[in-house]
Amino acid sequence: MRLLTKGLLIVAIPSLFELLLLASLFKSQADAEEAERWAAHSALVMNKAAEVREPMLLESSRIRNSVIVNDPKPISRPEMWADLEIKVGELEKLVADNPEQTRTMQGIREAIVSYRNWADSARERLQNGQREDLVNQLRDEQGPHRLADFRSRLNKFIDFERHLGDERNEDLQDARESQTLLLIASVLGSIVAAGLASFAFTRNIGKRIGILTDNAQRLAEGRQLAARVHGKDEISQLDDVLHQTSDRLIEASRLAQAYREEVEQRARELAEVNTHLRQQTQDNEMFIYSVSHDLRSPLVNLQGFSKEIMHATGDLADEVARLDLPDEKKSKIRALIEDDLHTSLRFIQNAVTRSASIIDAMLRLSRAGRIEYQPVMLDINVMTQRIADAMSGSIRSREAAVSIQPGMPQAWGDPTAIEQVFGNLVGNAVNYLDPKRPGRIEVGCMSGDGAGAEEALNTYYVRDNGLGIPAGHMSKMFTAFQRLHGNVAQGEGIGLALVKRAVERHGGRIWVESTEGVGTTFFVALPSQPAAA
């Protein structure tokens, strides 16, 4: 039998008992509300009856005062009788379900009509000067001017309603007492039912849950599990899962030990590879330094000897000019010297200069990864403004404008390296502007999420409206010795490679977006704080 079925059986009987008590409680609540409503109805009826009595007594007093002062105006005002008619109508509606009270209300209405007729006649007599007759009538102990009939009927109405209200209050009190007793019985019944259910659950399932709990504890501590719990319900299924988990953990522990040994072996191999790589890097750096050093000497000799040959050819040209030769011969020799020898020597000198620049670039690349950075918090606004001021001559010669976004956030990095990064990017933007239109260069910081927001990086950008980069050349932008517009500006093509290396050593990244003929934007993501570097 499943655990849910057992639970339902355990809960069903006490729940049925509780439902019966709850139904009785709802019935008692409904009876109490009904009794309370009728008791309130009786009180409302008596209040309305008092409201009917008050205008009649006030009208009686007005008539006597009017007779005393001989002024008929306050007597039998239509608005008073209209208001009284409304109140009588409301009172009749309240007792419409009680035939006896309805008959009494009919008598009260007749008494009110009779008194109104007399009040109207009293007003007419005062208006006609019959004040003495009216005074004599008022002195009489009997007559329509007395409210005895109205009072008698109204008091009978109120006494009946009061008696009815007392009965309804007694019913309300009985209903509330019954409700209280049922509530107490419901609470006690719920407690007893819960106790019986708990006892049955503990007796039937508690022991098996104890075994299951002990197995879970053993599993958590890595010990051997106890015997399986018998049965076919969820408890036994959960215990089976615990045993299966234990078996899998044992297997996983065995595999983890094997993996650990394999990782340790790989770590040793990786350490050896790193040692070999470090040695190879040092060998490469030594090789680059040695080659650059060894190449400089022949290059210097080539540069020197080419200059000597240049001077010698100049002297040779002077000697030829002084020789007694035909002008045709002299022109031919002069052409050989100036057109062939001098041109060849200039090619040699340019090649030597180019080779020396390449050697210097190789040395800078080899040293880029060995410089020890001293990072601090950097004010990018001040740094970029300093770069723009230093390049003001080149910027003015290009007739360009540089705008720096105010309030850019600070970055964490080495001052020299980061200034070289922005200096290189701004310099490239100036060098590769399109001469056909006014140049615009913008330095700023992306707001919002930006690239690298999750790593706490600030993303800065350098945007220009220059020549742009073809899509096919985008993948080679940060490769050393790669140049797109070689005829526009001088250089060896290692600036962006150095920039990329410096940015990545700071824990950031750099990328570019460009459209040929429209412009280029370089994005640089740098740490905003030491923890992100």
Side-chain angles (χ1 to χ4, degrees), residues 241-277:
V241 171
L242 290 179
H243 280 80
Q244 294 172 9
T245 303
S246 177
D247 296 339
R248 291 178 181 177
L249 286 176
I250 294 173
E251 179 64 18
S253 178
R254 186 187 64 78
L255 293 176
Q257 180 63 29
Y259 291 152
R260 191 179 303 110
E261 294 175 356
E262 183 178 356
V263 168
E264 291 175 354
Q265 177 64 27
R266 296 293 176 86
R268 288 191 294 269
E269 295 175 359
L270 183 60
E272 295 176 359
V273 171
N274 286 335
T275 302
H276 177 70
L277 182 60

Side-chain angles (χ1 to χ4, degrees), residues 7-21 189-198:
L8 290 176
L9 290 176
I10 292 173
V11 174
I13 296 176
S15 297
L16 180 61
F17 174 73
E18 291 176 2
L19 286 175
L20 292 175
L21 290 176
S190 299
I191 294 173
V192 172
L196 292 175
S198 299

